[in-house]
């Protein structure tokens, strides 16, 4: 199974990862494999995204470097073993800059006119990454060989950008969920797709939408929030799993260090961020913004430099979580947050 939202997310179940010998060994967190006690956290997974043409960048690498990058992201023995892929659903007319082209790229002319859909079989190369992730690493096939499990319809609803963005209040989200939920059901898509909301820019701003969202609580499956304007520090008031779906050091110059001076992009910093989110804030999933891309910042975990890929220790910070959840990959196991020096994932 793969989690996708629009931000789309994919998550899949996989085998237990006992032999994680190829991974660097860091102090990590320990997963308990007993039956979760009620009210305790359950882990859905760890992940990243190749949205905004980063999947295209990846597809332009040599086959050997593509394989290396895919292994670094998804391989449970030699890589981070990530199990959630967050794909963007495009709303742009073309792929200029890093825009994601829409499946209905032509303006229909009026709200009542019907849309003309044109599926290009690529979806900004995200379909390729999704298929590679799922087919090669997980061996799970469906009709298109990708099963979408989570659908979100907002991204940072409090932000206006120069590229594609859409503002929404909590009440507007409620109004839309009342339409989206029966629409999915009518298309027989309610299972396995659950509705995720609302990918607010920060944990606190998402928290403040929850009271209004209560009126459609039964239609929701997952609460999603980013960590930019406020990071996950304490649990949200929701019975649904809460996912941290986007966090990154967007400014710092590329570093692959585990620890140098506690900088915003260092692996140790991200191990602590993941730990705080999962243990203190009851997050059930943690996603770093971008997996693989070029450019001299820490917005990504794996760097493309002159056609070669290089992993940062941020990847292994998430990989430690994913590795321990190798025992609970999307299986909804609790994590008691105990540090375990011997885990070696
Ligand atoms: C994962 O990595 C291991 C070690 O490099 C390799 O033997 C294996 O084939 C990889 N798995 C996949 C699905 O590519
Ligand atoms: C999905 O997998 C099946 C079995 O390997 C294959 O025949 C089919 O072409 C794949 N479909 C797509 C859309 O890739
Ligand atoms: C949904 O499933 C029902 C029952 O299997 C079937 O009758 C109906 O045609 C399906 N609808 C769609 C849109 O596939
Ligand atoms: C933690 O999240 C789970 C759902 O994943 C929920 O059942 C539980 O009530 C939450 N606990 C707290 C303390 O918020």
């Amino acid at each position: 199974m793969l989690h996708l939202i629009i931000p789309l997310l994919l998550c899949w179940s996989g085998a237990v990862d006992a032999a994680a010998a190829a991974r660097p060994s860091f102090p990590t967190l320990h997963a308990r494999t007993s039956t979760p006690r009620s009210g305790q956290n359950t882990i859905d997974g760890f992940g990243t995204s190749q949205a905004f043409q980063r999947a295209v960048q990846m597809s332009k690498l040599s086959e050997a470097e593509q394989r290396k990058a895919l292994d670094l992201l998804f391989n449970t023995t030699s890589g981070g073993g990530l199990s959630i892929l967050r794909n963007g659903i495009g709303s742009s007319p073309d792929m200029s800059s890093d825009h994601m082209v829409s499946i209905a790229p032509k303006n229909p002319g009026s709200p009542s006119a019907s849309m003309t859909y044109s599926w290009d079989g690529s979806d900004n190369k995200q379909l390729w990454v999704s298929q590679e992730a799922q087919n090669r690493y997980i061996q799970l096939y469906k009709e298109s060989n990708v099963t979408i499990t989570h659908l979100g319809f907002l991204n940072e609803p409090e932000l206006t950008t120069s590229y594609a963005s859409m503002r929404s209040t909590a009440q507007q989200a409620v109004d839309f969920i009342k339409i989206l939920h029966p629409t999915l059901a009518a298309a027989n898509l309610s299972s396995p797709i659950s509705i995720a909301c609302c990918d607010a820019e920060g944990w606190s701003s998402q928290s403040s939408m929850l009271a209004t969202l209560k009126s459609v609580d039964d239609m929701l499956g997952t609460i999603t929030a980013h960590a930019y304007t406020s990071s996950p520090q304490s649990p949200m008031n929701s019975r649904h799993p809460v996912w941290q779906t986007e966090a990154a050091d967007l400014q710092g110059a590329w570093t692959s260090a585990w620890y140098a001076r506690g900088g915003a992009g260092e692996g140790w910093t991200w191990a602590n961020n993941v730990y705080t989110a999962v243990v203190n804030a009851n997050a059930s999933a943690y996603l770093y913004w971008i997996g693989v891309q070029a450019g001299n910042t820490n917005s990504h975990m794996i760097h493309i430099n002159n056609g070669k890929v290089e992993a940062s220790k941020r990847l292994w910070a998430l990989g430690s979580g994913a590795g321990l959840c190798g025992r609970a990959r999307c299986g909804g196991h609790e994590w008691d947050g105990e540090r375990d020096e011997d885990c070696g994932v």
Side-chain angles (χ1 to χ4, degrees):
M1 217 200 338
L2 201 43
H3 291 320
L4 273 263
I5 58 182
I6 327 184
L8 296 255
L9 292 163
L10 335 163
C11 179
W12 50 84
S13 357
V16 168
D17 171 22
R23 287 192 183 136
S25 179
F26 299 122
T28 182
L29 299 157
H30 174 73
R32 219 192 285 213
T33 49
S34 56
T35 312
R37 287 191 295 273
S38 101
Q40 285 211 320
N41 196 0
T42 56
I43 306 299
D44 291 322
F46 296 81
T48 192
S49 177
Q50 292 297 131
F52 289 99
Q53 308 301 334
R54 271 64 164 195
V56 172
Q57 287 188 21
M58 211 172 148
S59 73
K60 288 181 177 163
L61 292 166
S62 68
E63 235 169 84
E65 291 300 307
Q66 281 178 16
R67 177 66 30 223
K68 193 169 158 193
L70 288 162
D71 265 334
L72 281 168
L73 291 176
F74 305 116
N75 196 313
T76 54
T77 53
S78 62
L82 302 180
S83 62
I84 299 178
L85 184 61
R86 178 169 177 251
N87 286 348
I89 295 181
S91 61
S92 300
D94 55 45
M95 288 163 66
S96 62
S97 307
D98 59 6
H99 298 171
M100 292 180 284
V101 68
S102 164
I103 56 167
K106 296 240 184 318
N107 180 348
S110 80
S112 55
S114 40
M115 302 247 239
T116 306
Y117 294 103
S118 61
W119 172 241
D120 63 5
S122 162
D123 196 19
N124 307 281
K125 282 286 179 194
Q126 294 178 119
L127 181 61
W128 167 69
V129 178
S130 307
Q131 285 176 321
E132 285 292 322
Q134 186 150 329
N135 297 352
R136 198 178 285 263
Y137 295 90
I138 308 301
Q139 322 279 330
L140 236 176
Y141 293 79
K142 271 227 160 181
E143 197 183 325
S144 70
N145 302 327
V146 175
T147 307
I148 298 174
T149 57
H150 291 69
L151 178 69
F153 54 95
L154 295 175
N155 184 54
E156 303 191 336
E158 58 289 57
L159 185 68
T160 302
T161 63
S162 57
Y163 49 94
S165 59
M166 180 171 79
R167 296 186 81 100
S168 170
T169 63
Q171 186 54 52
Q172 286 166 330
V174 164
D175 293 344
F176 188 72
I177 289 166
K178 285 181 185 163
I179 294 166
L180 181 60
H181 190 266
T183 304
L184 286 175
N188 289 339
L189 290 171
S190 299
S191 169
I193 300 182
S194 77
I195 296 177
C197 198
C198 311
D199 276 81
E201 278 186 283
W203 204 254
S204 305
S205 45
Q206 183 59 47
S207 269
S208 69
M209 297 175 84
L210 293 181
T212 306
L213 290 173
K214 271 272 186 286
S215 64
V216 288
D217 203 46
D218 288 346
M219 299 183 185
L220 277 172
T222 308
I223 303 296
T224 52
H226 299 177
Y228 295 122
T229 51
S230 60
S231 63
Q233 300 292 336
S234 56
M236 289 204 203
N237 183 16
S238 173
R239 66 187 174 93
H240 299 297
V242 181
W243 289 12
Q244 190 297 111
T245 44
E246 198 182 312
D249 168 24
L250 297 175
Q251 310 298 336
W254 169 258
T255 176
S256 61
W258 173 247
Y259 185 85
R261 50 179 178 81
E266 292 169 19
W268 176 250
T269 302
W270 286 91
N272 278 301
N273 291 345
V274 171
Y275 181 91
T276 306
V278 172
V279 176
N280 298 351
N282 200 34
S284 291
Y286 198 97
L287 281 72
Y288 198 86
W289 170 214
I290 293 288
V292 186
Q293 75 165 89
N296 184 33
T297 72
N298 292 322
S299 61
H300 45 293
M301 295 186 288
I302 299 167
H303 191 46
I304 301 177
N305 189 10
N306 289 325
K308 299 274 185 212
V309 296
E310 179 200 354
S312 69
K313 297 298 191 294
R314 295 185 292 285
L315 173 68
W316 305 114
L318 266 75
S320 292
L324 71 88
C325 291
R327 281 166 258 162
R329 289 172 78 77
C330 303
H333 283 246
E334 76 181 280
W335 185 7
D336 64 4
E338 195 181 302
R339 287 192 183 262
D340 181 353
E341 304 285 329
D342 303 322
C343 203
V345 287

